[in-house]
Amino acid sequence: MGLFDNAVPSGNITKPLMIALGALLVGKMLSGRSAEQPDQTETPTGPASTGPASTGPASTGTAPADGGLLGGLGGLLDKLRDAGHGNVADSWVGTGQNQSINANDLGAALGPQVIHEIAQRTGMDEQQLLKQLSTALPGVIDKLTPNGQVPQQHQVASAFNS
């Protein structure tokens, strides 16, 4: 897998795990911003009459620029910080030793709706998904931030495309 070789302790990132990571970080295999706006009935009436502006997000939901379920890497890190795991998240970005995160803590930080959506996309059980994500995220984020800096969204997307 190129950049992500040795990112997880087992050295093996499975396809479902890559889909899950992509869903969190770059929006691969997603349809729009359903996690941010779960109830599509709240949209203003008459979007079809607005022309091309209304078709962008719906027709290009898998575009890497959409930032994934949480707004990309920065959004994921913010979610972890907001949930009280800032030191852990910062250790993944920084140049020192990566701290681990408990699967249940990760699940609480991401929220049940995000976990449910990713589990559906990958076909994985939610608990197994959280276990694998909690193992993989420290190494993957460390690889994405080699200089202790959060990269631009297009850089994260290109890492997943290579």
Side-chain angles (χ1 to χ4, degrees), residues 75-142:
L76 172 62
L77 294 171
D78 288 343
K79 270 283 209 195
L80 290 166
R81 289 181 186 113
D82 291 346
H85 303 289
N87 289 341
V88 172
D90 291 343
S91 77
W92 304 345
V93 174
T95 56
Q97 176 100 15
N98 293 333
Q99 295 180 27
S100 62
I101 189 165
N102 177 289
N104 291 332
D105 290 341
L106 179 62
L110 298 179
Q113 185 175 2
V114 170
I115 296 303
H116 180 73
E117 177 147 352
I118 296 171
Q120 282 188 313
R121 302 280 177 193
T122 62
M124 294 175 70
D125 169 80
E126 291 182 17
Q127 289 303 312
Q128 185 64 26
L129 171 69
L130 283 171
K131 183 178 176 187
Q132 288 191 28
L133 280 176
S134 66
T135 301
L137 275 176
V140 168
I141 292 175
D142 186 60

Side-chain angles (χ1 to χ4, degrees), residues 31-44:
S31 56
R33 302 170 191 252
S34 57
E36 295 172 19
Q37 301 170 351
D39 188 353
Q40 295 299 323
T41 60
E42 295 176 356
T43 58

